[in-house]
Amino acid sequence: QFRFVLPATLASYAGLGKGDEVAIIGAGEWLEIWSASRWAEMEAQGMDTLREELEKSPARNDEGALR
């Protein structure tokens, strides 16, 4: 188990309360701390956007399949 203290101003900005689940997202030398539920919403929204962009892609044939 890993614990650290997040300053109240940052926790408030992120919409986190004591005991809330968080998602720690990052790579290399950076990380972001998100509310787990807010991260799930953003991830789903991102997948919807990606799906929409792929559907518009010129790499699709007339049946909608990727070439």
Side-chain angles (χ1 to χ4, degrees):
Q1 187 172 11
F2 179 69
R3 294 178 186 219
F4 58 94
V5 177
L6 187 63
T9 53
L10 294 177
S12 176
Y13 178 77
L16 298 173
K18 186 173 183 172
D20 285 352
E21 286 190 30
V22 299
I24 300 175
I25 312 303
E29 297 181 4
W30 64 269
L31 64 85
E32 297 177 0
I33 301 168
W34 287 73
S35 154
S37 60
R38 182 69 180 127
W39 175 254
E41 290 172 15
M42 292 295 291
E43 192 173 36
Q45 183 180 29
M47 290 304 294
D48 289 344
T49 301
L50 177 61
R51 192 174 298 110
E52 289 169 8
E53 290 302 316
L54 285 173
E55 287 172 358
K56 293 188 256 180
S57 172
R60 291 194 172 269
N61 63 22
D62 292 336
E63 290 79 39
L66 289 173
R67 294 180 197 183

